Amino acid sequence: MRTNEDRNWELIGNALAAEAQGRAPRLFSSRRTLFGIPSALDEELAKLDAQAAREASAPDAEGAGERPSAPRPARGPQRVEHNLDPVFDERSRVLILGTMPSPRSRETGFYYNHPQNRFWKVMAALFDEPLPTTNEEKRDLALRHGIALWDVLASCVIEGASDGTIAECVPNDIAWLTERAPIEAVFCTGAKAHELYRRHCEAAVGMAATRLPSTSPANAAASLEHLIDAYHAILPHARP
């Protein structure tokens, strides 16, 4: 036998359901019933809240069971230190200078190591060799052909790999290298490297540098063919 209380609960349940489905105006000032007892709607919403909390704290399917990754460092200009040794030996006659190794080059321990940088494609084409893939293969190709590699700056403030953001420069001692190798010609990869070399290094080295186009992906306007043609300038000084 149904009591008045049963009928009241049924009316409240129907009203809440209609309210939840948008078929009736809101009747209550909160998600709790007039009697202070959680309604069916309140219970369903609580379940949804709990499910959302579980999903937020659960690891991604790709990294299930792994610790959350460390937060990425904030973007913006940062002071960076050059962490790569110069590449040269007693056969080096050509010195090629960039500005500062890219974040990828600093991480992987060698020059022009961004996957979209075309420097090593240019070198392979100039000397008709297979494209080097490891750091040792790249070092070997450069040294066999009399090419030394370094950068103009020992440290600077820079945002990512953007030469346009470089500030507070400290130059490398390029003269130290040219005193230890029979360098005949200096080349700079890009306008910024050339500008910084002229400002900070040329007087001490006693040798002007030739500007070459940057092989960086930032210089996408230059085709690979154009770069290869421009870099032919090093061949009269390099070893065949």
Side-chain angles (χ1 to χ4, degrees):
M1 179 177 177
R2 297 182 65 201
T3 64
N4 287 336
E5 184 177 353
D6 292 332
R7 283 192 292 273
N8 288 338
W9 280 115
E10 183 178 349
L11 289 172
I12 291 171
N14 291 339
L16 287 168
E19 179 184 313
Q21 295 169 11
R23 295 186 289 105
R26 187 170 180 82
L27 298 177
F28 305 108
S29 59
S30 73
R31 283 172 19 204
R32 304 181 77 82
T33 68
L34 291 175
F35 304 102
I37 301 172
S39 68
L41 176 60
D42 194 56
E43 292 173 354
E44 289 301 316
L45 290 172
K47 290 177 184 178
L48 291 175
D49 289 342
Q51 181 180 348
R54 287 194 300 271
E55 291 174 352
S57 62
D60 295 339
E62 204 174 9
E66 298 177 0
R67 294 173 61 87
S69 59
R72 294 181 180 180
R75 294 179 63 85
Q78 297 179 346
R79 174 157 290 280
V80 297
E81 303 290 332
H82 196 294
N83 65 341
L84 306 180
D85 292 332
V87 173
F88 72 101
D89 63 16
E90 70 281 356
R91 302 169 294 174
S92 301
R93 299 189 298 208
V94 175
L95 174 58
I96 298 179
L97 299 170
T99 49
M100 172 68 70
S102 69
R104 182 61 178 271
S105 291
R106 297 196 302 271
E107 291 167 7
T108 57
F110 208 68
Y111 297 88
Y112 307 103
N113 259 4
H114 188 287
Q116 294 177 336
N117 194 301
R118 294 162 289 175
F119 181 86
W120 295 108
K121 289 182 179 180
V122 170
M123 293 296 108
L126 284 180
F127 298 109
D128 194 23
E129 293 206 16
L131 179 66
T133 55
T134 68
N135 291 350
E136 284 307 312
E137 289 173 350
K138 294 169 183 177
R139 181 188 305 275
D140 179 66
L141 186 155
L143 293 178
R144 280 191 291 104
H145 294 289
I147 297 172
L149 301 173
W150 208 10
D151 290 299
V152 176
L153 299 181
S155 71
C156 67
V157 172
I158 186 172
E159 182 171 356
S162 173
D163 280 359
T165 65
I166 288 176
E168 300 180 30
C169 304
V170 176
N172 273 317
D173 186 0
I174 306 300
W176 172 89
L177 188 154
T178 58
E179 290 168 0
R180 287 161 175 75
I183 300 297
E184 299 176 359
V186 178
F187 296 87
C188 294
T189 59
K192 191 66 174 181
H194 189 247
E195 173 201 330
L196 293 170
Y197 176 84
R198 291 183 63 188
R199 186 188 308 169
H200 297 290
C201 308
E202 185 176 305
V205 173
M207 194 180 307
T210 299
R211 171 182 163 183
L212 295 172
S214 172
T215 57
S216 162
N219 188 25
S223 68
L224 179 60
E225 291 74 18
H226 170 75
L227 294 173
I228 293 169
D229 184 62
Y231 277 68
H232 269 82
I234 74 174
L235 292 181
H237 308 280
R239 298 169 62 91

